């Protein structure tokens, strides 16, 4: 049996209206909501000008694998946190819309933890501050943008 824990994900960036149905389907598959133990998310709950923060308990391996893959493939920034269990510590995944997803150990309150080896590798106080700045990435608002028309046709 796979470990299941509580997790949340905050998603931002520009999402094409053409990709919205697939995005909403992935959210529904995960049974995500805007609050713990809340009703399943519906598009009518979307608040323009803000990132979308969704959550659930009993998340397999603490990851929203298909939703995270969707965001990664489309350059949609996200920040996901999951609680720990006997197999792993609480963890944050950060994707700023480019590059790779960065995984950061956290405590149960989603505060980034910096280990001795990482401090040694970073060497300077400035590098340590930069590490925390990157770990505390603020997800931009999620914006649904019209699908671009081609040659005047949709």
């Amino acid at each position: 049996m796979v470990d299941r824990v509580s997790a949340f994900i905050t998603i931002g960036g520009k999402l094409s209206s053409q990709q919205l149905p697939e995005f909403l389907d992935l959210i529904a598959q995960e049974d995500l909501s805007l609050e713990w133990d809340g009703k399943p998310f519906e598009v009518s709950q979307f608040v323009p000008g803000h990132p979308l923060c969704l959550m659930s308990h009993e998340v397999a391996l603490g990851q929203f694998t298909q939703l995270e893959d969707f965001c990664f493939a489309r350059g949609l920034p996200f920040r996901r946190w999951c609680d720990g269990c006997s197999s792993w510590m609480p963890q944050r995944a950060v994707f700023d819309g480019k590059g790779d997803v960065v995984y950061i150990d956290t405590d149960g309150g989603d505060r980034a933890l910096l280990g001795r080896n990482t401090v040694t590798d970073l060497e300077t106080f400035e590098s340590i501050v930069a590490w925390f700045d990157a770990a505390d990435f603020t997800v931009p608002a999620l914006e649904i943008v019209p699908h671009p028309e081609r040659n005047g046709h949709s």
Side-chain angles (χ1 to χ4, degrees), residues 107-129:
D107 66 8
D110 190 26
R111 290 179 293 264
L113 300 177
L114 184 59
R116 177 185 291 267
N117 290 340
T118 304
V119 168
T120 301
D121 291 344
L122 291 172
E123 297 181 347
T124 68
F125 180 74
E126 291 78 18
S127 296
I128 293 168
V129 171

Side-chain angles (χ1 to χ4, degrees), residues 54-67:
L54 300 164
M55 57 202 69
S56 184
H57 296 294
E58 301 296 318
V59 177
L61 301 174
Q63 301 175 12
F64 308 109
T65 304
Q66 291 181 322
L67 181 59

